[in-house]
Amino acid sequence: EVIDAQVEAVVDDLMALAKITAHPEKYDSAGVRVSLKADTASISQLAQAAGFDIPELGSLQLTGQIVSSKQSLRLESLETVVQHQGMNTRSTATVEDLLTLSGINGTADVELDSLSALSTLIDSELPATGPWGLNVTVTSASVKGAAEIVANLSSEKLKAAINATVPDITNFENLKASVSMDAESLSAIGELLNREIVDESPISFTAKAVMQPKEYRVDEFHLTMGDAALNADLQYTIPPDKKNKPKLIGQVEINDFDAGKFFAANEEEAETPADEAKVTDEAGKAEDVGREKNLETIADSETGAASTGDKKVFSNEPLATGALQDYEVDLKINATNLTFARDFKVDGALAVTLD
């Protein structure tokens, strides 16, 4: 037995119900009440029975109530509860007019013991974290009309919110949204990325996003991280044909931003047992250090840049620019106290242009 389902229907006036085609006002006097109930221990097995193959989502409990209104039928309530290992989901929905599918309201609440509870669903390993909660509400005048979507994501160390509108609830090609996030620290973001970032500076950002067919825009992007700040307005356009390249244009302003910590994290991740063995080889070590010092001396004499010690700011490997040739880029960047490493700072206006 894959599913246990029950349907109960009550009609107060059968004669009135028989006349509803010619007289829709008879719905009210017909007094229709329909109750739905369904339970399954495995959503995956239920889907397989219907010819679909999906990951295991756990058990499902569904209850619903349909009643007659003045000139139609109304979905008074529809509630579903899904329970899976480390995850509980509860959703509700109401539809004011089932015949015209108008007056639609829905909510969903998801509770996770940890992000790792989603690993089996997306077939990818997610980090073990504390509890997370997600709340989503959807409101639409009709199934083919505009919809408003509000989503709130929260954990002990992070809160994020999205407020979006779409002109057609069945088509998300056009979308306008405002996004915000506040995190206790950059280290909390590192936990989500499953990597260690040692920085306790609080971080927050707000932005407005517009999505249209072949065009994506981010306006009024404001990010703060401790004393650092980044502001940007960006537009990415996909051409209608392959004769032209996708184009990224915009303006970026960066103040008091230390990128060195990200370079340092990458250097630590790039270390290998072979690197460690090389360090223990005194002769090889002396030779490598000598080469580095010579390179630094040349760089200082040619550019006037301050020495950064034994650490390299950029890799010796050539930049992989092949992929960039597939895009047009026109960025204006204003930087104030942008730091890549100790004593290596950038101040001034930059232009990044690729044709």
Side-chain angles (χ1 to χ4, degrees):
E1 184 178 274
V2 178
I3 186 170
D4 179 18
Q6 299 176 7
V7 178
E8 295 181 0
V10 176
V11 179
D12 292 338
D13 190 337
L14 285 173
M15 294 299 295
L17 184 62
K19 299 177 181 179
I20 59 174
T21 302
H23 303 281
E25 68 275 6
K26 296 294 184 179
Y27 270 109
D28 192 25
S29 57
V32 177
R33 295 185 300 280
V34 180
S35 298
L36 312 171
K37 180 182 287 188
D39 296 274
T40 180
S42 173
I43 298 176
S44 177
Q45 291 182 13
L46 178 62
Q48 288 176 0
F52 300 98
D53 188 14
I54 63 173
E56 183 54 72
L57 300 176
S59 63
L60 168 68
Q61 295 178 320
L62 181 148
T63 57
Q65 185 82 19
I66 298 174
V67 299
S68 55
S69 59
K70 287 186 177 181
Q71 293 187 345
S72 185
L73 294 175
R74 181 175 73 248
L75 178 62
E76 193 165 69
S77 66
L78 179 65
E79 180 176 335
T80 60
V81 176
V82 176
Q83 294 180 314
H84 192 43
Q85 298 174 354
M87 177 179 68
N88 292 296
T89 303
R90 179 179 179 271
S91 62
T92 62
T94 61
V95 179
E96 190 63 28
D97 192 327
L98 279 175
L99 299 184
T100 60
L101 291 178
S102 58
I104 301 170
N105 295 278
T107 65
D109 290 284
V110 182
E111 295 179 354
L112 298 173
D113 293 343
S114 168
L115 285 181
S116 58
L118 298 174
S119 296
T120 57
L121 301 182
I122 64 174
D123 195 26
S124 179
E125 192 66 29
L126 294 177
T129 64
W132 281 79
L134 173 65
N135 171 264
V136 180
T137 63
V138 179
T139 305
S140 178
S142 68
V143 71
K144 285 293 185 179
E148 180 178 353
I149 303 167
V150 179
N152 290 281
L153 178 69
S154 63
S155 70
E156 182 181 356
K157 299 180 180 180
L158 183 147
K159 296 184 185 302
I162 299 176
N163 290 269
T165 57
V166 292
D168 184 346
I169 194 174
T170 64
N171 185 351
F172 279 73
E173 286 189 347
N174 294 280
L175 179 145
K176 293 182 179 180
S178 60
V179 185
S180 65
M181 186 204 72
D182 292 283
E184 182 181 285
S185 67
L186 189 59
S187 300
I189 303 296
E191 291 180 10
L192 300 182
L193 303 175
N194 208 16
R195 61 178 294 185
E196 183 178 0
I197 301 178
V198 182
D199 192 311
E200 299 307 315
S201 303
I203 180 172
S204 66
F205 82 83
T206 59
K208 294 181 179 179
V210 177
M211 185 172 70
Q212 302 175 21
K214 298 186 180 299
E215 181 178 315
Y216 307 90
R217 199 171 73 240
V218 176
D219 299 321
E220 300 178 28
F221 178 92
H222 303 296
L223 180 145
T224 59
M225 186 175 64
D227 295 329
L230 187 151
N231 303 311
D233 294 292
L234 302 171
Q235 180 176 320
Y236 180 71
T237 306
I238 301 175
D241 53 57
K242 295 183 179 180
K243 295 180 180 179
N244 298 305
K245 301 177 182 179
K247 187 173 185 178
L248 174 65
I249 62 174
Q251 297 181 342
V252 181
E253 181 181 308
I254 306 172
N255 296 302
D256 300 319
F257 188 80
D258 182 6
K261 65 193 71 174
F262 300 102
F263 284 100
N266 288 335
E267 286 174 3
E268 291 175 4
E269 290 181 356
E271 288 181 355
T272 65
D275 295 327
E276 296 172 2
K278 187 175 183 180
V279 171
T280 61
D281 186 340
E282 294 299 329
K285 180 179 177 182
E287 184 180 350
D288 291 338
V289 170
R291 287 199 189 101
E292 260 187 48
K293 291 297 184 182
N294 289 336
L295 288 172
E296 288 172 354
T297 302
I298 295 172
D300 288 350
S301 63
E302 292 182 348
T303 65
S307 171
T308 60
D310 292 339
K311 290 195 178 265
K312 300 176 183 178
V313 178
F314 301 107
S315 169
N316 287 333
E317 297 296 325
L319 292 175
T321 60
L324 296 178
Q325 296 176 5
D326 296 331
Y327 300 89
E328 287 187 27
V329 178
D330 185 7
L331 292 178
K332 304 295 187 296
I333 302 174
N334 288 306
T336 302
N337 196 26
L338 171 60
T339 305
F340 288 98
R342 186 181 60 186
D343 298 329
F344 190 94
K345 298 182 180 180
V346 176
D347 290 278
L350 307 173
V352 180
T353 305
L354 292 175
D355 294 324

